[in-house]
Amino acid sequence: MPLLKNGSIIVDDWITLGLDDPKPDSGDIVVPYARLLRDWESLVDHDGRLGVIFTNIDRVEALTLFLPRLALIVLPFPSFTDGRAYSLARQIRETGYGRELRAAGNVLPDQVQFMLQVGFDAFEIGDRFTAEVWLKASRQMSLAYQRGLYRTGGQHEVWSERHREAEPWLEQPHAG
């Protein structure tokens, strides 16, 4: 499945394994969290990058021991109304995790900006929407209303942009 990442559509070159799929000798692999727990001893020495599919019923604290070895965390969205992965993404970024954080499942283009603000930086895109729709969604807003956790270069909050030229104490009485 193609990915939207850094404003481009790219090919997903990770190999997704199930609980009992044989592990290849090398290559980048993604495993379910249950397999990460069960097979950690053999996965830690895998020749390639390691990723995990972390469901939204697990707590982020359970991942902290594995984070230094993980190059990818996939957070599935079972439905577009299920927002638990938003919270997980923000919590994972707050741990200092700086590698790829991918949204998968029932993700819609109009959610991309909100997902970027909580720390997602890659999105699995299905065939429901065209690549042009996804690319447009990724560039649609360069400002955010809320102070986000995760900003790419050049992104600012609407309030900061509107008051850039203002005297700080006249325009920001609550700031001191």
Side-chain angles (χ1 to χ4, degrees):
M1 180 173 295
L3 298 174
L4 173 63
K5 185 174 181 181
N6 299 326
S8 300
I9 304 295
I10 62 171
V11 175
D12 181 11
D13 53 1
W14 288 78
I15 302 167
T16 302
L17 302 177
L19 278 174
D20 298 315
D21 292 336
K23 184 175 64 103
D25 293 334
S26 62
D28 302 333
I29 58 171
V30 184
V31 298
Y33 178 63
R35 183 167 180 176
L36 184 76
L37 289 175
R38 185 188 71 193
D39 300 342
W40 175 248
E41 295 300 322
S42 67
L43 292 171
V44 73
D45 294 326
H46 176 70
D47 183 19
R49 295 182 298 171
L50 178 62
V52 66
I53 302 168
F54 194 69
T55 62
N56 56 17
I57 59 170
D58 296 308
R59 299 183 63 90
V60 169
E61 293 81 16
L63 260 186
T64 54
L65 292 175
F66 305 106
L67 287 179
R69 178 66 172 92
L70 295 176
L72 167 66
I73 299 174
V74 179
L75 298 177
F77 283 79
S79 73
F80 73 91
T81 59
D82 188 337
R84 291 177 288 181
Y86 284 94
S87 301
L88 289 173
R90 185 173 184 112
Q91 291 168 6
I92 289 169
R93 290 298 187 201
E94 287 175 343
T95 67
Y97 182 77
R99 297 183 189 133
E100 184 175 332
L101 189 56
R102 183 184 299 176
N106 203 338
V107 178
L108 301 174
D110 60 349
Q111 297 172 317
V112 167
Q113 291 300 321
F114 298 113
M115 291 179 175
L116 287 168
Q117 292 179 27
V118 297
F120 286 103
D121 58 358
F123 310 89
E124 286 185 3
I125 60 171
D127 53 1
R128 185 172 170 194
F129 299 97
T130 65
E132 290 76 26
V133 170
W134 286 102
L135 290 171
K136 182 179 177 185
S138 71
R139 294 186 295 256
Q140 206 160 22
M141 293 174 49
S142 60
L143 301 174
Y145 284 102
Q146 298 175 331
R147 290 191 180 270
L149 175 69
Y150 211 68
R151 296 255 182 259
T152 58
Q155 287 186 322
H156 303 282
E157 295 84 23
V158 171
W159 197 92
S160 298
E161 286 298 306
R162 289 185 71 192
H163 297 86
R164 188 176 350 164
E165 303 293 325
E167 293 289 326
W169 293 107
L170 295 175
E171 294 292 328
Q172 304 173 19
H174 63 283

